[in-house]
Amino acid sequence: MSLKLATEALRRVTGSIAVRLTLWYALLSVFLIAAAGSALYWVLAEQLRQVDSKILSSKINAIHSILSRYTGNIEALRHETQLEASTIRGVFIWVSRPPDGIIARGRDFNPLLDNPRPFTKSPKTLKKTEWKWKIHDHDHYLVMAQRLAGNPPTTIYVAVSTTQNVQFLALYRQALLLATTLVLLAAVAAGYLIARRAMRPVARLAEIVDELGAGQLHRRVGDEPWPSELRTLAANFDRLLGRLETSFNRISRFSADIAHELRTPLHILRGEAEIALSRGRSPADYQACIESAMDEYGRLSRMVDALLFLARAEQPDAQLDTPLLDSREEVAAVCAFYQAMADELDVVLVNDASGAVAANPGLLRRALGNLLGNALRHTPAGGEVNIRTAIQPARLQISVSDSGSGIAPEDLPHVFDRFYCADAARLRQGQGTGLGLAIVRSIMQLHGGEVALQSELGMGTTVTLSFPIIPPGTSAPHQK
């Protein structure tokens, strides 16, 4: 349990960006200080060793010269060796030759020879050889030896005490460890203060975001002088606020439109019922009231169905099958359904569609039906509604054109809005719900396509549906 609590506490601590930056800054500082100190330590130790090596090498060369001058005079060799050993304090020299053993040595006490653990190493070649030798934990020596050719061979040994060097390097290591510890503490403190100061804009941004509500969606945060690392985040957040504001306003307008559109038929139904109940009526009057109510019920049912379709179409997991269809056959089926209405209005339907389209058959017919219904209602007698296709790069376009009254320029940006109707009188007369083009747009979005509208007042309107083209030999995927 304690391990779990410790792990959770560590996770909370390391979850802070300021703490993480501090730890990384401290670790980097310690690493750099330790690396620099280690390099300096190695250089210092190597320099001390080289100085001692030069002393030992010079002494070997001097004894070698003495041996050359006094080859057969052992007494002179001993005397000169003692003189050479006394020139530098802490230097010990001895010369060994089998089978006589040590034939010359310094006059002073030699700790490498005169102790229970004498020096026993010897060079294997004629080159100078170097060793580190420790008698006790606090007595350190550097030994250099060279064997000289002869019969028998002579070996020169020279040693120097390095205890002071070892003690100096130990103090240096302690100082380095202390300096690294102090640097670590200073780096943690300074790094945390720097990180906290650097993270102030993030805290400020968090405060602004926390203050935002439904009534502050118009506010923008990108105008403040943010650091360069936060400018992109602030800009993206502004775009998110813009999308949220647009969606919120659209939902608000949609809710108000729904309330308004449902209130009208309900008021009509209630008014007709109150009139019918105000006094006795004939069966014909009651029948007319019921027929009028049925018309309003039909309008309410169509509106509810359209709203349910739009709600389902906007779900993120909405999917549909889009097989390859013959566009001419699909258009012909829709034209056949609206032919009676066209004959009654004396409008000609022309089917010039051709080619394959990847679409859901039910939704394609619903979109074309909405467009044909609008076109027929706005085309005068003797006019024409033409459905044709065109192939564009990676797109198959189905266009529905009429020779009707057209749409005013100020109405064009709003024709795809829900419940929008340029001719409000038609909407009140039950000839539409104001959701037809909104449904068409949702259907095209489900297919991954686009819808465009071109209209000129008094010249007619053209609505173009652009469907993605499926390459030959591949099946249409599920649209999402």
Side-chain angles (χ1 to χ4, degrees), residues 227-277:
S228 58
E229 292 82 3
L230 293 180
R231 289 174 189 167
T232 302
L233 177 61
N236 292 339
F237 190 76
D238 282 347
R239 285 193 287 270
L240 174 62
L241 287 176
R243 293 192 296 268
L244 289 176
E245 183 180 16
T246 301
S247 300
F248 187 81
N249 293 336
R250 185 171 65 247
I251 292 174
S252 299
R253 290 194 302 269
F254 186 45
S255 300
D257 291 340
I258 291 176
H260 176 74
E261 296 302 325
L262 292 178
R263 182 176 59 186
T264 301
L266 289 176
H267 283 177
I268 294 175
L269 290 171
R270 182 174 180 176
E272 290 180 346
E274 289 176 349
I275 292 174
L277 294 174

Side-chain angles (χ1 to χ4, degrees), residues 289-468:
C289 180
I290 294 173
E291 289 177 351
S292 176
M294 289 300 296
D295 291 337
E296 295 300 327
Y297 291 147
R299 182 185 173 198
L300 283 173
S301 178
R302 292 191 301 273
M303 186 183 302
V304 170
D305 288 342
L307 291 174
L308 287 175
F309 173 82
L310 290 172
R312 294 192 191 101
E314 291 183 352
Q315 293 299 316
D317 58 346
Q319 296 184 359
L320 67 154
D321 292 323
T322 55
L324 289 176
L325 305 174
D326 188 325
S327 61
R328 185 173 184 82
E329 292 182 1
E330 298 300 319
V331 172
V334 177
C335 289
F337 182 81
Y338 282 91
Q339 188 61 54
M341 180 179 178
D343 294 340
E344 181 181 352
L345 297 174
D346 192 21
V347 176
V348 177
L349 297 180
V350 180
N351 180 6
D352 289 333
S354 62
V357 58
N360 181 272
L363 296 182
L364 175 61
R365 293 186 182 186
R366 182 165 189 171
L368 292 174
N370 287 351
L371 296 180
L372 279 178
N374 284 342
L376 290 173
R377 283 193 294 269
H378 293 84
T379 301
E384 177 181 291
V385 177
N386 190 289
I387 303 98
R388 65 175 63 88
T389 56
I391 296 179
Q392 300 294 333
R395 296 278 179 175
L396 175 74
Q397 295 181 337
I398 301 178
S399 300
V400 179
S401 304
D402 63 61
S403 57
S405 56
I407 303 174
E410 61 271 16
D411 294 324
L412 286 176
H414 308 287
V415 293
F416 289 103
D417 294 344
R418 297 168 184 176
F419 297 114
Y420 185 82
C421 185
D423 190 350
R426 292 181 182 269
L427 191 59
R428 289 191 297 270
Q429 293 169 8
Q431 296 186 16
T433 62
L435 295 172
L437 290 179
I439 290 176
V440 172
R441 181 175 60 181
S442 295
I443 290 174
M444 295 308 299
Q445 289 174 348
L446 283 174
H447 285 82
E450 299 175 350
V451 57
L453 185 145
Q454 293 180 338
S455 182
E456 187 175 350
L457 198 60
M459 300 297 293
T461 302
T462 298
V463 181
T464 303
L465 309 179
S466 298
F467 292 88

Side-chain angles (χ1 to χ4, degrees), residues 36-46 166 168-170 172-173 176:
S38 299
L40 292 175
Y41 176 84
W42 179 84
V43 170
L44 179 59
E46 184 64 18
V166 172
F168 174 75
L169 292 175
Y172 183 86
R173 289 195 301 270
L176 179 61

Side-chain angles (χ1 to χ4, degrees), residues 65-141:
S65 299
I66 294 172
L67 284 172
S68 300
R69 292 198 305 269
Y70 305 102
T71 303
N73 191 344
I74 298 300
E75 290 300 327
L77 175 62
R78 290 174 180 173
H79 178 72
E80 292 296 330
T81 301
Q82 292 174 358
L83 290 178
E84 190 65 35
S86 63
T87 56
I88 299 179
R89 185 179 179 181
V91 174
F92 306 96
I93 304 174
W94 68 96
V95 181
S96 175
R97 178 186 297 165
D100 301 328
I102 298 176
I103 61 175
R105 56 175 286 179
R107 181 182 297 107
D108 299 333
F109 170 78
N110 190 330
L112 285 88
L113 300 176
D114 305 329
N115 71 81
R117 182 174 174 255
F119 185 81
T120 57
K121 293 181 177 294
S122 60
K124 304 299 183 182
T125 65
L126 299 180
K127 294 182 178 180
K128 294 176 182 177
T129 307
E130 189 176 277
W131 301 276
K132 290 182 179 180
W133 189 257
K134 183 170 67 172
I135 299 176
H136 303 291
D137 291 339
H138 56 278
D139 289 336
H140 300 264
Y141 298 89

